[in-house]
Amino acid sequence: MIRQIFFIAGQNFSGWHKNARVWMTFALGLVLCLMLSDQMITRAQTYHSSIQLMEPFIWTFGDEQSVLFSTLLLLLLFADMPFIDQAVPYRLIRTTRDKWLAGQILYVIVTVILYNFFLLAIEALIAMPWSYIGNVWSETSASFAYGAGKDGAVAVSVKTMEISTPYECAAFVFLLMLLYSLLIAALMLLLNLAGGKAAGVLGVLLFNLYGYLLNPEWIRRVFDIPQGLLYRANVLCGWLSPLSHATFSMHNFGYDYLPGIQVSVFLFFCLICILLIAARIKMKRYNFTFVQVEE
């Protein structure tokens, strides 16, 4: 059983070298990393200052918008789930629907892990000429946190620097980003099985839009919330917005009412499991459609 699941997942990876969508996704991921880390690297170059190896990744993907942009690129990779090709009829004859779906799920999980490791590696490579590996925050980050980054281009959080170290923070940022990406992929899989590819893409776009708009700054502007109530709006958005759960700095570190990282991890895990169970149920009634190719 396990061998068949791994074989089905491996068959999906075997076509990567000739899949334009795969190359495009990773190329756009590279461009995204270069664009989002540009200001920090430019400052390190200009002032001949050093940065910690993990800092570009932390500050780039510790921000809601950056997490959103990176996960939207997964639409290119997973828009055609559940990956039906001309070989699927032969695989279904030799195995069951459950095993075939398990192979697709394994492929999605491994792909998301590889994609997020790719972003982490690119950020580390970009920072390498000006970086050090010590587990302490750099003066470059401190300068952004205390004034140089007020334009919002580099979302350096003083709170984050006070309660964590770079490697610990990078691990949490990676974990939250990975779980959010898996949630998006699981949602797209379910919607694709239920309503087709268009439903999957539209559903994921609306889900991300909901998380993006559920932002305390947006709410303050739309509803003209007084400054005194802004903290309550921030806490409410921290609990209700999936993007906030995927953002490291939007968590409780002992002195507010935001969700803790453990809570966000648990919620992501539960939602992913629910979506995959629903996808399994839907797969039992899924009608496969194959296009005959004339030879």
Side-chain angles (χ1 to χ4, degrees), residues 99-118:
K99 293 178 183 178
W100 183 81
L101 179 62
Q104 308 306 316
I105 292 173
L106 177 62
Y107 166 75
V108 169
I109 292 174
V110 175
T111 300
V112 170
I113 293 174
L114 290 174
Y115 172 74
N116 283 278
F117 265 117
F118 171 79

Side-chain angles (χ1 to χ4, degrees), residues 23 80 110 124:
W23 289 100
D80 61 339
V110 175

Side-chain angles (χ1 to χ4, degrees), residues 175-188:
L175 176 62
L176 294 172
M177 185 178 170
L178 174 64
L179 290 174
Y180 184 74
S181 300
L182 288 173
L183 177 64
I184 294 298
L187 176 62
M188 181 176 286

